[in-house]
Amino acid sequence: MVYESVARKIWEFKSTLDYVDDWPLMSSPIPVLAIWTAYIVFVLKAGPEYMKSRPAYGLHTVLKLYNLFQVIFSLVQFYLGLELLRPTGYLDITCNEDPATKKKIATFIYIYFLAKLSELADTILFVLRKKQNQVTFLHVYHHSLTLLAVWLTLKFEPVHNTIFLATINSFVHVIMYAYYGLSAFPSLTKYLWWKKYITAMQVIQFVFVIIHAVRNYIYSDCMPSYVLFFTITVNEALFIYLFGEFFVRSYLRKDNKNTKTN
């Protein structure tokens, strides 16, 4: 009966929490899928074709404002996440969610979803600046998966288990967007030697998320669904591989090559 109820909700696109359906972009998957499709078409086909015969846009002011916005937005998410985690001790999860707590959790996940939506602009800015080499499989897959996975989580399983992932990710994004914001100032470029450590932080983040998910899956009385657990662990493991391979290729091999050259 439980599985039939869940299947019916998914088929009918009814949220686990009824009020979530009233929030913008949440009543049906069509709007978010349309946005994602437009994103894929633009960054992989239409955008590069449009820019082929045009000079790259500078967008210096836009980059400064955009990254400042993302730093502030990520700080807000990090603070809200800590507030939700604090009653349980940051690492554990709560099973007995009263209606008020459930709404706070759902609201937090919705804010996180809006953040993932806004972060699609990362790739669009790459295209407009003719930095198509940065529009990699890793980049596009990461942005696509997080957007769609967070939408599905909010729609069908807005539970406390996901707060740790979103909170630690928001912290990493504070550092990452601060770096990109500072890099928009040419005079500060020589001080930005720590880019590779952001990638290292991302890999460490994925490891922590897997450990947290497995720990609570084994020891918690309110385990997440198999689908949510599988999505988190498998994709975080894939991210460890992809980001780790990028780190080795971009920094370790380059450092070794420079050492041999010198």
Side-chain angles (χ1 to χ4, degrees):
M1 293 297 293
V2 173
Y3 289 109
E4 289 180 6
S5 177
V6 172
R8 190 181 305 111
K9 284 179 179 294
I10 293 174
W11 179 255
E12 296 174 353
F13 298 111
K14 291 289 294 179
S15 296
T16 303
L17 303 172
D18 291 339
Y19 49 79
V20 169
D21 287 335
D22 297 328
W23 295 349
L25 302 177
M26 293 307 304
S27 63
S28 163
I30 293 176
V32 71
L33 286 175
I35 291 170
W36 174 72
T37 302
Y39 164 77
I40 292 297
V41 170
F42 179 82
V43 302
L44 297 183
K45 183 65 177 177
E49 285 293 325
Y50 172 79
M51 294 302 300
K52 184 182 294 185
S53 59
R54 292 175 171 80
Y57 293 100
L59 302 177
H60 300 298
T61 301
V62 172
L63 287 170
K64 292 171 186 176
L65 292 175
Y66 172 73
N67 287 294
L68 176 61
F69 167 79
Q70 291 294 1
V71 168
I72 295 172
F73 201 7
S74 297
L75 276 171
V76 170
Q77 294 168 75
F78 180 60
Y79 171 77
L80 293 175
L82 288 180
E83 287 297 296
L84 285 169
L85 292 172
R86 182 167 53 84
T88 64
Y90 298 106
L91 295 177
D92 293 318
I93 60 175
T94 179
C95 302
N96 300 315
E97 299 167 354
D98 59 86
T101 302
K102 284 183 178 180
K103 189 160 189 176
K104 287 180 181 178
I105 292 171
T107 302
F108 173 77
I109 298 174
Y110 183 63
I111 292 171
Y112 188 64
F113 163 70
L114 295 178
K116 301 302 107 180
L117 189 63
S118 71
E119 288 165 14
L120 297 181
D122 290 2
T123 328
I124 294 170
L125 292 172
F126 283 153
V127 173
L128 295 177
R129 294 163 64 215
K130 299 192 81 166
K131 294 184 178 292
Q132 201 66 26
N133 63 305
Q134 293 182 284
V135 185
T136 61
F137 168 79
L138 169 59
H139 179 89
V140 175
Y141 175 76
H142 179 63
H143 279 282
S144 299
L145 177 83
T146 52
L147 175 70
L148 300 176
V150 175
W151 188 92
L152 288 167
T153 299
L154 175 58
K155 188 77 171 177
F156 301 117
E157 199 168 352
V159 292
H160 195 268
N161 303 68
T162 58
I163 303 300
F164 178 83
L165 182 158
T167 303
I168 193 172
N169 181 246
S170 297
F171 173 76
V172 172
H173 278 203
V174 171
I175 308 300
M176 184 183 76
Y177 283 110
Y179 172 87
Y180 287 124
L182 292 172
S183 67
F185 295 86
S187 61
L188 298 178
T189 303
K190 60 183 177 181
Y191 301 109
L192 301 177
W193 47 266
W194 37 281
K195 182 179 180 181
K196 65 180 180 180
Y197 296 107
I198 298 174
T199 305
M201 286 178 63
Q202 289 173 312
V203 174
I204 293 169
Q205 153 196 219
F206 302 138
V207 173
F208 283 169
V209 168
I210 289 178
I211 292 172
H212 179 265
V214 172
R215 174 184 179 274
N216 282 303
Y217 191 82
I218 295 173
Y219 296 109
S220 172
D221 293 330
C222 51
M223 297 183 298
S225 69
Y226 292 125
V227 173
L228 180 59
F229 178 73
F230 178 85
T231 301
I232 291 174
T233 54
V234 171
N235 280 287
E236 296 299 294
L238 180 58
F239 286 150
I240 289 172
Y241 169 75
L242 292 173
F243 277 82
E245 193 274 336
F246 171 80
F247 183 84
V248 170
R249 174 167 40 86
S250 300
Y251 303 114
L252 296 186
R253 289 177 184 168
K254 186 180 294 185
D255 289 346
N256 290 337
K257 184 181 294 186
N258 292 337
T259 300
K260 290 178 181 179
T261 303
N262 294 332

